[in-house]
């Protein structure tokens, strides 16, 4: 198992994932036995754009449309997303500091089975699979965050209903430490994120209360990164307004130079790319026809190697080598055996521990202090003129760069991350309203 053998995760993860698979297969057996009775354990609708406000229309919520005919046909059968989700559920059950962003990076790099997974099956098994399952086992796109979380939510609900499983909370201390280290953030954010979590009543565990529709605000992963970014916007805002603390002990007395932060993160990435030259699998997959004209010769070689690895099946080639004269003649016109192989750069290979600490030190050295202004003086205070950005298109440039790094690390798309932060802010506003109404009631 890749996670245990290559990534060094605990051996008990393998048996735990097998147990989860047994439960998943048991669900499939129940459906077969019940003939055409439709179970509601997988009928939940997950919307990444569900709103906190009840008056928002379905169109504004972005509720997912009904699955297409083929999706309906395969709805009850396990697929590659089930594989990824069950592995992640095993990881989170052991409370390891692994995020869906790691799953995305491993599948993108090809280390974890996803794209071209059908090649891992023996030819005899492939020959007996219906054509629809060939498509399921051979996706032509990278892992989709929305579908990953939709599958995970559905499985968590069904396991809770059918087997009484209660899912543990995220390992917040280790995950927060990882976020602060990789994103080179001040340590003051650790305690403030935990305090905000308590204020909002979060425990960063998945809970299902019978809702038919679930959204981004129900995901523990989104809640955690949402609380962290809200604290960043409060103490170290991305805009250019000068907010003055009343005491030097306030976290906002320190100012993060986001321009320097962007430069440090960019320099670290450039240094990493120089040590491992070439495009990543993600970049190669997203290339368009027009990009070919701007590619260097080594990048073209890398793309052709990537194309051959993605679409040529060596097992099938060897099987038909002696009988398919046309294919043999075609391959002889474009020989690739014995050629230098240009491997894609690894998306999952982040900065080394030493380089990460060097980036942290550089960012912290660029931090400045904000003058203290007494309460008797008129000045803009931390939290005042707090900006709310509902969509990615509304983000200022520096915030967009930070959101992109945070989204990749946490395993959310940019749109999902923006909504996670927005819903956290909406929950805070709801708490403030309740506090205000409570104070008015006590005053009356």
């Amino acid at each position: 198992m890749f996670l245990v053998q290559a990534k060094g995760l605990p051996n008990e993860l393998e048996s735990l994932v097998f147990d989860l698979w047994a439960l998943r297969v048991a669900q499939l057996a129940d459906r077969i036995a019940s003939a055409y009775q439709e179970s509601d354990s997988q009928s939940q609708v997950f919307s990444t754009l569900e709103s906190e406000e009840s008056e928002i229309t379905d169109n504004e919520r972005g509720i997912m449309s009904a699955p297409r005919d083929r999706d309906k046909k395969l709805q009850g059968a396990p697929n590659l997303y089930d594989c990824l989700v069950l592995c992640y559920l095993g990881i989170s059950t052991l409370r390891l500091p692994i995020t869906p962003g790691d799953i995305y990076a491993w599948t993108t790099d090809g280390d974890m089975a996803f794209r071209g997974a059908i090649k891992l099956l023996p030819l005899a098994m492939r020959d007996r699979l219906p054509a629809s399952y060939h498509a399921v086992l051979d996706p032509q796109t990278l892992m989709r965050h929305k579908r990953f979380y939709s599958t995970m939510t559905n499985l968590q609900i069904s396991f809770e209903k059918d087997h009484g499983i209660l899912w543990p909370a995220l390992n917040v201390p280790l995950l927060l430490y990882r976020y602060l280290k990789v994103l080179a953030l001040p340590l003051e954010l650790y305690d403030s994120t935990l305090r905000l979590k308590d204020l909002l009543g979060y425990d960063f565990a998945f809970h299902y209360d019978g809702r038919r529709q679930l959204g981004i605000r129900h995901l523990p992963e989104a809640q955690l990164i949402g609380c962290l970014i809200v604290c960043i916007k409060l103490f170290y805002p991305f805009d250019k307004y000068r907010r003055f603390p009343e005491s030097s002990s306030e976290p906002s007395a320190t100012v993060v130079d986001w321009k320097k932060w962007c430069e440090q993160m960019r320099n670290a990435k450039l240094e990493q790319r120089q040590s491992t030259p070439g495009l990543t699998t993600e970049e190669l997959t997203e290339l368009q026809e027009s990009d070919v004209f701007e590619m260097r010769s080594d990048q073209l070689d890398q793309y052709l190697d990537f194309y051959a690895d993605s679409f040529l099946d060596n097992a099938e080639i060897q099987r038909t080598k002696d009988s398919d004269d046309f294919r043999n003649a075609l391959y002889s016109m474009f020989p690739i055996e014995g050629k230098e192989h240009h491997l894609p750069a690894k998306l999952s290979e982040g900065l080394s521990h030493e380089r990460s600490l060097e980036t942290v030190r550089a960012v912290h050295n660029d931090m400045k202090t904000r003058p203290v202004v007494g309460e008797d003086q008129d000045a803009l205070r931390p939290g005042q003129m707090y900006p709310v950005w509902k969509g990615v298109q509304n983000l200022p440039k520096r915030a967009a760069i930070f959101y992109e790094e945070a989204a990749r690390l946490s395993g959310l798309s940019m749109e999902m991350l923006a909504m996670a932060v927005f819903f956290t802010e909406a929950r805070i506003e709801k708490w403030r309203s309740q506090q205000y109404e409570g104070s008015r009631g006590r005053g009356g």
Side-chain angles (χ1 to χ4, degrees):
M1 190 178 186
F2 161 75
L3 296 173
V4 174
Q5 298 174 359
K7 304 308 296 183
L9 299 186
N11 291 328
E12 55 264 34
L13 175 62
E14 187 169 0
S15 59
L16 178 56
V17 173
F18 284 160
D19 291 340
L20 292 174
W21 260 117
L23 298 180
R24 179 69 178 99
V25 173
Q27 289 181 328
L28 183 62
D30 291 341
R31 288 184 181 160
I32 295 174
S34 60
Y36 298 102
Q37 285 186 352
E38 185 176 356
S39 172
D40 64 350
S41 62
Q42 295 286 323
S43 63
Q44 303 303 319
V45 178
F46 179 85
S47 167
T48 59
L49 302 179
E50 183 187 344
S51 171
E52 292 275 1
E53 304 297 334
S54 59
E55 64 267 16
I56 300 296
T57 64
D58 284 354
N59 184 51
E60 289 171 319
R61 285 196 187 101
I63 291 178
M64 292 162 53
S65 58
R68 290 174 292 182
D69 292 341
R70 191 181 72 182
D71 295 331
K72 290 181 179 179
K73 180 180 179 182
L74 300 172
Q75 186 178 14
N79 54 46
L80 290 174
Y81 279 93
D82 289 79
C83 296
L84 301 181
V85 165
L86 292 176
C87 288
Y88 177 71
L89 289 179
I91 289 170
S92 60
T93 300
L94 294 177
R95 307 193 74 235
L96 303 175
I98 304 296
T99 70
D102 297 315
I103 303 293
Y104 176 84
W106 294 333
T107 57
T108 300
D109 290 340
D111 296 329
M112 197 170 180
F114 189 72
R115 294 179 69 252
I118 195 170
K119 296 179 183 178
L120 301 176
L121 297 180
L123 286 174
M125 183 179 293
R126 280 190 248 169
D127 292 341
R128 289 165 173 78
L129 281 178
S132 55
Y133 284 90
H134 279 260
V136 170
L137 293 173
D138 192 19
Q140 300 303 309
T141 61
L142 301 176
M143 188 191 94
R144 301 299 187 193
H145 297 91
K146 187 173 181 179
R147 188 170 177 188
F148 175 88
Y149 285 108
S150 176
T151 303
M152 182 173 71
T153 303
N154 290 339
L155 284 176
Q156 286 178 306
I157 292 171
S158 64
F159 283 178
E160 182 177 337
K161 283 185 174 182
D162 298 342
H163 306 289
I165 295 178
L166 297 179
W167 302 100
L170 300 176
N171 193 335
V172 176
L174 290 182
L175 285 174
L176 262 183
Y177 168 76
R178 185 180 176 194
Y179 287 152
L180 298 183
K181 175 188 171 184
V182 175
L183 299 175
L185 297 172
L187 284 175
E188 289 77 5
L189 290 167
Y190 182 94
D191 184 59
S192 61
T193 301
L194 296 181
R195 293 179 65 184
L196 181 59
K197 156 218 163 204
D198 295 335
L199 187 80
L200 299 181
Y202 287 148
D203 61 358
F204 299 138
F206 178 77
H207 301 285
Y208 177 63
D209 57 2
R211 294 175 181 267
R212 294 283 303 175
Q213 296 170 352
L214 299 176
I216 186 71
R217 62 194 176 98
H218 300 98
L219 298 175
E221 295 81 4
Q223 294 171 358
L224 175 58
I225 194 66
C227 287
L228 174 61
I229 292 180
V230 166
C231 291
I232 293 172
K233 292 174 66 177
L234 282 172
F235 299 152
Y236 316 105
F238 296 100
D239 57 32
K240 297 182 180 180
Y241 289 105
R242 291 168 59 87
R243 300 171 177 86
F244 297 92
E246 296 180 1
S247 168
S248 59
S249 62
E250 296 180 24
S252 55
T254 305
V255 181
V256 174
D257 190 330
W258 289 109
K259 181 179 179 181
K260 295 287 184 64
W261 183 93
C262 293
E263 291 176 358
Q264 292 293 345
M265 298 300 288
R266 182 172 61 249
N267 292 339
K269 280 190 171 183
L270 287 175
E271 185 178 316
Q272 180 190 19
R273 294 303 293 269
Q274 289 173 356
S275 61
T276 55
L279 301 173
T280 65
T281 303
E282 183 180 41
E283 294 168 336
L284 291 168
T285 304
E286 295 174 351
L287 281 175
Q288 304 295 322
E289 292 87 346
S290 57
D291 297 329
V292 175
F293 298 102
E294 301 178 0
M295 294 171 67
R296 303 188 306 269
S297 58
D298 60 321
Q299 293 176 332
L300 286 171
D301 291 338
Q302 187 185 29
Y303 179 71
L304 291 176
D305 288 341
F306 163 75
Y307 194 91
D309 292 339
S310 300
F311 296 101
L312 294 184
D313 189 345
N314 289 328
E316 182 66 27
I317 291 173
Q318 293 300 320
R319 180 169 70 169
T320 60
K321 186 175 182 180
D322 298 329
S323 58
D324 195 333
D325 295 335
F326 173 76
R327 182 175 291 181
N328 291 334
L330 187 63
Y331 288 155
S332 64
M333 296 172 62
F334 305 97
I336 58 175
E337 294 182 1
K339 301 290 184 181
E340 181 183 1
H341 199 70
H342 301 79
L343 296 174
K346 291 282 189 180
L347 186 67
S348 58
E349 288 184 358
L351 301 177
S352 64
H353 176 70
E354 293 75 16
R355 187 64 181 88
S356 293
L357 293 181
E358 182 181 337
T359 304
V360 171
R361 285 192 290 267
V363 170
H364 287 206
N365 287 336
D366 291 329
M367 294 173 66
K368 304 173 183 177
T369 57
R370 182 78 75 195
V372 175
V373 175
E375 59 181 354
D376 57 334
Q377 296 176 295
D378 186 18
L380 195 63
R381 300 300 181 182
Q384 292 182 336
M385 296 189 67
Y386 179 91
V388 176
W389 305 306
K390 189 172 183 179
V392 177
Q393 69 279 3
N394 304 122
L395 296 173
K397 183 177 180 181
R398 295 171 185 175
I401 295 175
F402 178 84
Y403 271 51
E404 184 177 356
E405 295 296 327
R408 184 178 295 276
L409 179 59
S410 60
L412 299 169
S413 66
M414 280 284 284
E415 292 75 13
M416 293 176 72
L417 179 61
M419 293 305 294
V421 176
F422 176 76
F423 286 137
T424 304
E425 293 163 341
R427 194 176 179 96
I428 293 174
E429 190 60 34
K430 182 178 179 181
W431 174 85
R432 290 182 59 190
S433 298
Q434 292 173 345
Q435 295 297 308
Y436 175 73
E437 293 296 331
S439 64
R440 287 186 60 186
R442 288 190 298 270

